Amino acid sequence: VSSRDSFKCQAKGSKLITKSGIKNIEDVKIGDTIWTGFSWQKVTNWIDDGIKDGIKITTYRNYQFTGSPIHRYWALRDGREQWIKSEDLDPSRDLICINNNIERKISIDQEKYDLGYFLGILIGDGGLSFLEYEKGSSFFALTTVDEYIKNFFFDFCIKKWGYTPRSATDKITYRVAKQDAVKFLLNECGVKKSLSHQKTIPDIVWTDPSISIGFINGVFDTDGTFEKSKKNMLFSMSAEKLLKEMQILLLSLGIISSFRKAKKLVQFKDENLKQNHLTCHLTINGHEVVKFEKIGFVNRSIKSGKIHIPQIPDAHDVIPWSHLDFLKEVMSFKKKTRNTVGRKIKTPINLY
């Protein structure tokens, strides 16, 4: 996909917003309508240009973009907004514009939202390691002490499959062994058998904004936190790939977030407890939390009920700082040697 005055420059796997959901660039077809960053445009040609040299840039919020050296970014350099090729970007002087001004009229479809919420609570606090169990019947489970989440889980399973989840001996874990339900998750939703640190966004979540919003709501209700003192929303879990995907999913809804990875494993006082994987964090700052209410985020569970939507004063003459991000790293990849060349800078500014 390219504009009339540029060349093919996006890497396979790059996400594009289309009128029919979020797609990988290799899945976009001629005739699809995509969001260019400024307007909706129809795709008129599709070209696979093979393996080329590439450059991967990382910002301080840990957004990552990969494209060819000629791919251009809208950036701020020396006080002037301009297009700059990735090969010419300079972390010491350039600020990248993270465009969250997306023209999408979202009307919540309750049935799709409920499906997204169901998938969200499963990804957040569900057990998916037995979805394809070779030694017996496959099943999935949910562990929760939140009465609203439990009731929603039961109601969804009964309505969808006529099946009442079975309670485990701990009284807070509920198991679904209905094979139609297992097949639905695997085949229709794209949920993958996984341990907690291996979880990813189910394929169907990318296809519709109502499902996406319900999914984010469900993940927050199970694995999210609202930091009252900072007015921030925080997602913390060991699934690094999941949180990086959620960062892109949030951006498609116009919400900017920051990703970071803990530098060391948590040390528990109880010697029987051990953390095997680093915890990752996705933070939505207060001025972005305001947008959750606008897109249809619902406060029903214990966690989401604690969210306080901050009042942001109007500031028409102020440059939207949330749209700008420092360049953290620019890495170039050679198609033959796969060697990397990087330019890094250090800055005392902390954006978290």
Side-chain angles (χ1 to χ4, degrees), residues 110 250 280:
Q110 192 60 47
L250 285 165
C280 299

Side-chain angles (χ1 to χ4, degrees), residues 17 20-21 47 83 152 175 185 210 223 226 292 310 320:
I17 299 175
S20 56
I47 300 171
W83 289 107
F152 178 91
R175 182 181 298 184
L185 292 185
S210 292
D223 248 346
F226 181 69
F292 275 85

Side-chain angles (χ1 to χ4, degrees), residues 264-281:
K264 60 182 180 179
L265 296 172
V266 174
Q267 299 295 318
F268 295 99
K269 293 181 179 180
D270 187 342
E271 296 181 356
N272 295 319
L273 298 176
K274 185 179 179 181
Q275 186 186 31
N276 296 317
H277 304 279
L278 289 172
T279 300
C280 299
H281 306 281

Side-chain angles (χ1 to χ4, degrees), residues 152-312:
F152 178 91
F153 185 70
F154 272 64
D155 291 345
F156 188 93
C157 291
I158 293 170
K159 182 179 178 180
K160 186 75 175 176
W161 301 294
Y163 182 89
T164 303
R166 307 296 189 256
S167 178
T169 55
D170 63 4
K171 304 299 182 183
I172 59 171
T173 299
Y174 310 97
R175 182 181 298 184
V176 176
K178 180 81 169 179
Q179 295 310 294
D180 287 347
V182 172
K183 291 177 182 178
F184 175 78
L185 292 185
L186 290 170
N187 301 331
E188 296 188 40
C189 296
V191 177
K192 298 175 179 62
K193 172 185 176 181
S194 55
L195 298 174
S196 59
H197 68 283
Q198 299 170 325
K199 291 178 178 178
T200 58
I201 291 182
D203 296 339
I204 199 171
V205 172
W206 299 102
T207 65
D208 187 274
S210 292
I211 301 177
S212 301
I213 294 166
F215 176 80
I216 294 168
N217 211 151
V219 175
F220 178 81
D221 283 358
T222 49
D223 248 346
T225 304
F226 181 69
E227 299 177 303
K228 191 173 182 179
S229 60
K230 299 180 180 179
K231 304 294 189 293
N232 291 343
M233 290 177 67
L234 179 68
F235 296 87
S236 297
M237 55 183 70
S238 60
E240 179 177 356
K241 184 177 180 181
L242 171 65
L243 286 185
K244 286 184 176 180
E245 289 178 336
M246 282 191 61
Q247 188 178 37
I248 299 300
L249 189 64
L250 285 165
L251 187 59
S252 75
L253 297 168
I255 298 172
I256 292 177
S257 58
S258 300
F259 172 88
R260 64 185 173 88
K261 190 173 183 179
K263 296 181 179 180
K264 60 182 180 179
L265 296 172
V266 174
Q267 299 295 318
F268 295 99
K269 293 181 179 180
D270 187 342
E271 296 181 356
N272 295 319
L273 298 176
K274 185 179 179 181
Q275 186 186 31
N276 296 317
H277 304 279
L278 289 172
T279 300
C280 299
H281 306 281
L282 190 65
T283 305
I284 298 97
N285 293 327
H287 57 273
E288 293 293 308
V289 173
V290 175
K291 299 174 183 177
F292 275 85
E293 190 174 50
K294 296 179 181 178
I295 65 172
F297 198 84
V298 182
N299 301 337
R300 291 196 184 115
S301 72
I302 294 174
K303 287 185 178 179
S304 62
K306 294 180 180 179
I307 295 178
H308 170 69
I309 305 296
Q311 297 299 313
I312 307 298

Side-chain angles (χ1 to χ4, degrees), residues 25 71 120 147 203 280:
I25 191 170
H71 181 70
E147 197 65 21
D203 296 339
C280 299

Side-chain angles (χ1 to χ4, degrees), residues 23 34 41 58 65 81 85 96 104 118 151 184 198-199 220 229 231 237 243 267 277 301 314 317 345:
K23 296 182 179 181
I34 66 170
Q41 298 289 337
T58 303
F65 310 98
E81 297 177 13
K85 294 178 182 179
I96 292 293
R104 299 177 79 189
F118 178 77
N151 291 337
F184 175 78
Q198 299 170 325
K199 291 178 178 178
F220 178 81
S229 60
K231 304 294 189 293
M237 55 183 70
L243 286 185
Q267 299 295 318
H277 304 279
S301 72
D314 199 0
D317 298 325
I345 63 167

